[in-house]
């Protein structure tokens, strides 16, 4: 259908007027029309678009809310990397920054643009010929996620920029955030519905933006503040950063009203103080202020170091601290089984959120800080990190304060808790069974280097565990196509592929199966040695680990003694596997829960290929006695000894008639003399290597 010219004109005029009202309402908080008048304009546009669908374009104000959830976010490569900022934590850092800038520019005094540092999510918005075409998260700085559809729902982001002569390309950079008042209102609504509240505006903004269903994003009140321009073509020739910000403000972007232009380090520090006192009253959360050399030519001259510009600096506010009491100390089990002591506190408001618990990291920290149940403590919260206990106010310790002890059993699954001597952590040994470690254990089991089950990745494991279909790796073998196909986003075909892949995994090597069990400290190499040594799962399960460990330690000690006296060494027990690893394996295999899961794996048809038994071959130097003297060049003495022993020989310290060979290196001593006297065969290093068979 042909669209009459006056309709085209009216549609364009309506869109522009609606965008202007959006800007007045959402960016400036100063509406020019009543809600009813706005709604009337909006409805008129909707009706015209319905009548003439060919006029609908994605940037129309009617198209802000999509209807179809996306399957995933695409990648967007940034035209210019989105960098981070160097941080200053005290005045000295700022003085040093200003000095570096002055010296590099060779000037007496520098003009700076100063702005609040928004505590939200970094975003890049791309406008082509003035039309919003793409929005992306920062990602790793080079590639971000395409969140265009979500960003369209944010009314403070103009779909078309106001400039009459729109630039060919304009990339606006800034932060998506949730205003404090919107955050409060949203949490009040959540409370009323008895639903989970958000921790702080930053998390709420992040969670709301990264929704595959834009209808959810649209229902949350997000906003956007611009702080700069990335790639651009055809923008006016600016000379200062402050002019860039004014340009953005004139083109319907929200920019911080608190921005300022200051001079010298005194200007910077007084700005910092000023914003610090306003912080609580600001409409949004900030975690510091940002200083940027104002002149763009100077910025260019200063350039970048690593991933941060030399012309800008983030001056952070100190982490907030508060006082609270330790009500109890509980233990959390992480997904790798690590036990973390956590202090439960009387609720305290710190850094913008109510804190009810704080991490104590590990037992060593609890002891070092001497935190006891009943103590009054200082709690700190910095940015988005987990709150922590900084120190105890010893003078406030009540007489009945109690010391904390690590539990001997895992609070989640009841398995024994182990502590590896060389590490600060305590760990649950019920890795295959413990609910806290389930996802990790199953993911590891199915991973490429373990049982290599294609299609059983992170997402599927999460789904299977969360829907309580799978509790342990053994449950994988009872999955069928209908069960899998009933899961969200799983087609019949892929379900069948997954079942087939699981079936195939029944016949991996024993080494892979041992590795797949996820025993702490047992990597692929150790798994291979264990497979070779024990030959079967039953061999591993039935081994007398206490005796093996005792043997290992005895032989190690004895060999240390013999080595110092240059005597023949004993054959090591389980070569290549140290006593700590053996202890870890022993602890794991001692847990009945783990044994049950292993049993269940075998019962489900997992039949690993056993390694070929080590051929009972004769060593190349079986029964021969060697003496080493002088400095060897290709092998260390240890290596030479190990290889001789591996080939069935012995190495002793002194030459006698029973000695078969004396191996001489550079500067041999009296042993060489003795060998000549007794007529013992003398070998050079290369002869030894030939004998051992390179
Ligand atoms: S300028 C080349 N200005 O801070 C430097 N960044 O550490 C570009 N941020 O994730 C950054 N408020 O998103 C700049 N007024 C502000 C800012 C700001 C917050 C964030 C930024 C980035 C981080 C850099």
């Amino acid at each position: 259908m042909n669209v009459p010219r006056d309709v085209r004109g009216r549609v364009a005029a309506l869109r522009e007027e609606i965008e202007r009202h959006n800007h007045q309402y959402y960016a400036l908080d100063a509406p020019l029309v009543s809600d009813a008048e706005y709604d009337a304009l909006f409805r008129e546009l909707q009706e015209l678009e319905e009548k003439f669908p060919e006029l609908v374009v994605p940037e129309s104000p009617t198209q802000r809310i999509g209807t179809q959830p996306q399957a995933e976010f695409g990648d967007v490569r940034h035209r210019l990397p989105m960098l981070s900022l160097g941080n200053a934590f005290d005045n000295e850092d700022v003085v040093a920054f200003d000095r570096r800038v002055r010296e590099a520019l060779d000037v007496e005094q520098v003009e700076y643009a100063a702005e609040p540092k928004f505590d939200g999510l970094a975003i890049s918005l791309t406008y082509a010929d003035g039309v919003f075409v793409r929005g992306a998260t920062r990602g790793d700085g080079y590639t971000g996620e395409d969140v265009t559809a979500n960003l369209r729902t944010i009314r403070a982001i103009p779909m078309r920029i106001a400039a009459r002569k729109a630039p060919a390309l304009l990339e606006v950079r800034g932060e998506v955030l949730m205003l404090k008042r919107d955050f409060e209102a949203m949490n009040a609504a959540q409370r009323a519905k008895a639903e989970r509240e958000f921790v702080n505006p930053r998390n709420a903004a992040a969670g709301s933006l990264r929704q595959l269903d834009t209808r959810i994003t649209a229902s949350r009140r997000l906003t956007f503040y611009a702080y700069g321009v990335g790639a651009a073509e055809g923008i006016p020739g600016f000379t200062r950063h402050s002019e860039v910000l004014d340009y953005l403000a004139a083109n319907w972007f929200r920019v911080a009203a608190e921005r300022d232009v200051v001079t010298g380090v005194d200007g910077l520090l007084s700005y910092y103080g000023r914003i610090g006192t306003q912080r609580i009253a600001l409409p949004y959360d900030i975690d510091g202020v940002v200083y940027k050399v104002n002149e763009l030519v100077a910025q260019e001259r200063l350039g970048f170091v690593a991933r941060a510009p030399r012309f800008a600096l983030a001056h952070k506010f100190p982490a907030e601290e508060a006082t609270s009491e330790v009500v109890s100390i509980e233990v959390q089990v992480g997904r790798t089984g690590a036990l973390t002591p956590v202090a439960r506190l009387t609720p305290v408001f710190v850094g913008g959120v109510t804190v009810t618990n704080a991490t104590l990291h590990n037992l060593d920290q609890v002891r070092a800080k001497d935190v006891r149940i009943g103590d009054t403590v200082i709690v700190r919260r910095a940015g988005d990190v987990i709150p922590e206990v900084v120190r105890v106010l010893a003078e406030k310790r009540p007489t009945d304060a109690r010391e904390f002890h690590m539990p001997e059993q895992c609070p989640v699954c009841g398995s024994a808790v182990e502590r590896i001597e060389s590490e600060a952590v305590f760990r649950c040994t019920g890795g295959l069974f413990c609910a806290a470690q389930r996802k990790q254990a199953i993911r590891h089991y199915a991973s490429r280097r373990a049982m290599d089950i294609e299609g059983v990745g992170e997402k599927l494991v999460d789904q299977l565990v969360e829907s309580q279909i799978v509790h342990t790796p053994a449950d994988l073998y009872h999955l069928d196509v209908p069960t899998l196909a009933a899961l969200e986003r799983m087609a019949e075909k892929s379900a069948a592929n997954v079942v087939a892949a699981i079936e195939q995994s029944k016949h991996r090597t024993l080494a892979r199966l041992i590795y797949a069990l996820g025993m702490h400290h047992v990597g692929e190499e150790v798994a291979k040695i264990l497979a070779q040594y024990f030959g079967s799962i039953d061999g591993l399960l039935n081994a007398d680990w206490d005796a093996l460990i005792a043997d290992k330690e005895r032989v190690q000690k004895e060999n240390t003694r013999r080595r110092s006296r240059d005597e023949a060494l004993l054959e090591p027990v389980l070569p290549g596997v140290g006593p700590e690893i053996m202890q870890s394996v022993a602890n794991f295999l001692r847990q009945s829960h783990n044994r049950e899961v292993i049993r269940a794996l075998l019962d489900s048809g997992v039949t690993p290929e056993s390694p070929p038994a080590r051929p009972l071959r004769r060593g190349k130097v079986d029964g021969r006695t060697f003496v080493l003297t002088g400095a060897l060049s290709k092998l260390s003495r240890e290596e030479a000894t190990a290889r001789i022993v591996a080939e069935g020989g012995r190495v002793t310290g002194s030459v006698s008639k029973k000695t078969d060979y004396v191996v001489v290196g550079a500067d041999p001593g009296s042993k060489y003399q003795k060998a000549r006297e007794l007529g013992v065969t003398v070998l050079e290093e290369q002869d030894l290597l030939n004998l051992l068979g390179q």
Side-chain angles (χ1 to χ4, degrees), residues 338-339 361-362 364 406 418-420 423-427 520:
L339 269 55
H361 301 293
N362 55 50
D364 291 350
M406 270 290 178
E418 70 177 358
R419 178 179 208 178
I420 300 291
E423 300 176 357
V425 268
F426 285 74
R427 226 175 264 284
H520 210 62

Side-chain angles (χ1 to χ4, degrees), residues 192-259:
K193 287 185 288 181
E195 278 175 26
R196 206 169 60 85
E197 293 180 45
F198 289 88
V199 181
N200 58 36
R202 207 200 100 83
N203 286 1
S208 302
L209 187 68
R210 295 193 71 267
Q211 290 286 339
L212 291 166
D213 186 345
T214 56
R215 286 166 296 191
I216 300 177
T217 312
S219 73
R220 310 271 172 82
R221 286 188 159 252
L222 296 176
T223 189
F224 175 82
Y225 276 83
Y227 58 64
V229 162
E233 286 162 30
I235 56 169
F238 302 114
T239 59
R240 291 186 155 76
H241 176 72
S242 52
E243 291 166 10
V244 173
L245 293 185
D246 293 342
Y247 170 81
L248 291 175
N251 279 292
W252 295 351
F253 289 94
R254 239 177 173 174
V255 286
E258 297 75 21
R259 68 188 188 279

Side-chain angles (χ1 to χ4, degrees), residues 11-42:
V11 164
L14 281 168
R15 284 180 185 156
E16 184 173 340
E17 200 172 348
I18 290 168
E19 279 292 351
R20 184 150 43 84
H21 290 314
N22 275 344
H23 173 65
Q24 287 290 335
Y25 185 92
Y26 291 103
L28 303 180
D29 245 343
L32 298 173
V33 292
S34 68
D35 285 1
E37 284 170 278
Y38 178 88
D39 289 344
L41 293 171
F42 200 88

Side-chain angles (χ1 to χ4, degrees), residues 423-496:
E423 300 176 357
V425 268
F426 285 74
R427 226 175 264 284
C428 161
T429 54
L432 277 179
F433 179 83
C434 181
Q437 301 171 65
R438 236 165 234 172
K439 287 182 181 174
Q440 180 87 347
I442 298 166
R443 263 182 223 158
H444 174 75
Y445 182 86
S447 65
R448 201 169 51 77
R449 313 188 76 104
M451 299 300 263
D452 192 16
I453 310 181
E454 204 172 322
V456 181
E458 196 168 322
K459 278 192 189 143
L460 181 59
V461 172
D462 288 356
Q463 276 180 303
L464 289 170
V465 171
E466 280 160 23
S467 51
Q468 307 212 0
I469 296 172
V470 167
H471 302 89
T472 74
D475 294 339
L476 291 174
Y477 295 97
H478 302 293
L479 288 172
D480 53 23
V481 177
T483 310
L484 282 169
L487 293 171
E488 217 175 297
R489 292 209 257 130
M490 172 69 81
E492 189 98 7
K493 181 91 197 302
S494 14

Side-chain angles (χ1 to χ4, degrees), residues 327-600:
V327 179
S328 65
I329 297 179
E330 289 171 16
V331 165
Q332 271 174 8
V333 187
R335 56 198 180 85
T336 61
L339 269 55
T340 307
V342 174
R344 301 271 174 238
L345 307 166
T346 46
V348 57
F349 194 72
V350 48
V353 306
T354 302
V355 167
T356 51
N357 46 58
T359 179
L360 290 160
H361 301 293
N362 55 50
L363 188 65
D364 291 350
Q365 289 274 319
V366 177
R367 296 284 180 258
K369 292 175 182 164
D370 192 19
V371 183
R372 302 193 193 173
I373 300 152
D375 269 340
T376 299
V377 293
I378 306 267
V379 184
R380 175 195 299 160
R381 185 176 166 273
D384 226 19
V385 301
I386 305 167
E388 60 171 355
V389 170
V390 184
R391 65 188 170 88
V392 171
L393 298 178
E395 65 278 13
K396 295 210 170 164
R397 172 167 294 165
T399 49
D400 61 349
R402 279 178 299 124
E403 259 196 56
F404 163 76
H405 297 283
M406 270 290 178
E408 284 172 12
Q409 257 110 37
C410 169
V412 175
C413 74
S415 296
V417 167
E418 70 177 358
R419 178 179 208 178
I420 300 291
E421 257 175 65
S422 56
E423 300 176 357
V425 268
F426 285 74
R427 226 175 264 284
C428 161
T429 54
L432 277 179
F433 179 83
C434 181
Q437 301 171 65
R438 236 165 234 172
K439 287 182 181 174
Q440 180 87 347
I442 298 166
R443 263 182 223 158
H444 174 75
Y445 182 86
S447 65
R448 201 169 51 77
R449 313 188 76 104
M451 299 300 263
D452 192 16
I453 310 181
E454 204 172 322
V456 181
E458 196 168 322
K459 278 192 189 143
L460 181 59
V461 172
D462 288 356
Q463 276 180 303
L464 289 170
V465 171
E466 280 160 23
S467 51
Q468 307 212 0
I469 296 172
V470 167
H471 302 89
T472 74
D475 294 339
L476 291 174
Y477 295 97
H478 302 293
L479 288 172
D480 53 23
V481 177
T483 310
L484 282 169
L487 293 171
E488 217 175 297
R489 292 209 257 130
M490 172 69 81
E492 189 98 7
K493 181 91 197 302
S494 14
N497 288 343
V498 168
V499 170
I502 293 173
E503 183 62 31
Q504 268 176 22
S505 77
K506 286 181 175 171
H507 309 292
R508 301 279 182 250
T509 61
L510 178 61
R512 275 180 179 267
L513 178 60
I514 293 175
Y515 173 65
L517 298 178
M519 293 184 277
H520 210 62
H521 289 301
V522 178
E524 287 167 279
E525 281 313 309
V526 171
K528 275 185 203 155
I529 297 173
L530 294 176
Q532 190 69 51
Y533 195 90
F534 293 105
S536 68
I537 281 286
D538 279 321
L540 190 72
L541 288 174
N542 299 334
D544 182 345
W545 284 91
D546 286 340
L548 275 172
I549 293 168
D551 271 354
K552 176 101 194 171
E553 284 170 349
R554 188 177 49 72
V555 169
Q556 275 190 339
K557 212 181 273 166
E558 175 64 16
N559 277 347
T560 313
R561 193 184 65 81
R562 293 189 175 198
R563 200 166 289 131
S564 69
R565 298 189 188 180
D566 239 354
E567 287 173 20
L569 302 180
L570 299 175
E571 179 105 44
V573 180
L574 252 178
V577 184
E580 279 201 354
I581 302 179
M582 291 170 72
Q583 190 60 61
S584 170
V585 173
N587 290 343
F588 182 95
L589 294 177
R590 199 168 285 143
Q591 303 312 312
S592 55
H593 290 324
N594 291 336
R595 297 177 81 91
E596 281 158 23
V597 175
I598 295 172
R599 220 8 95 209

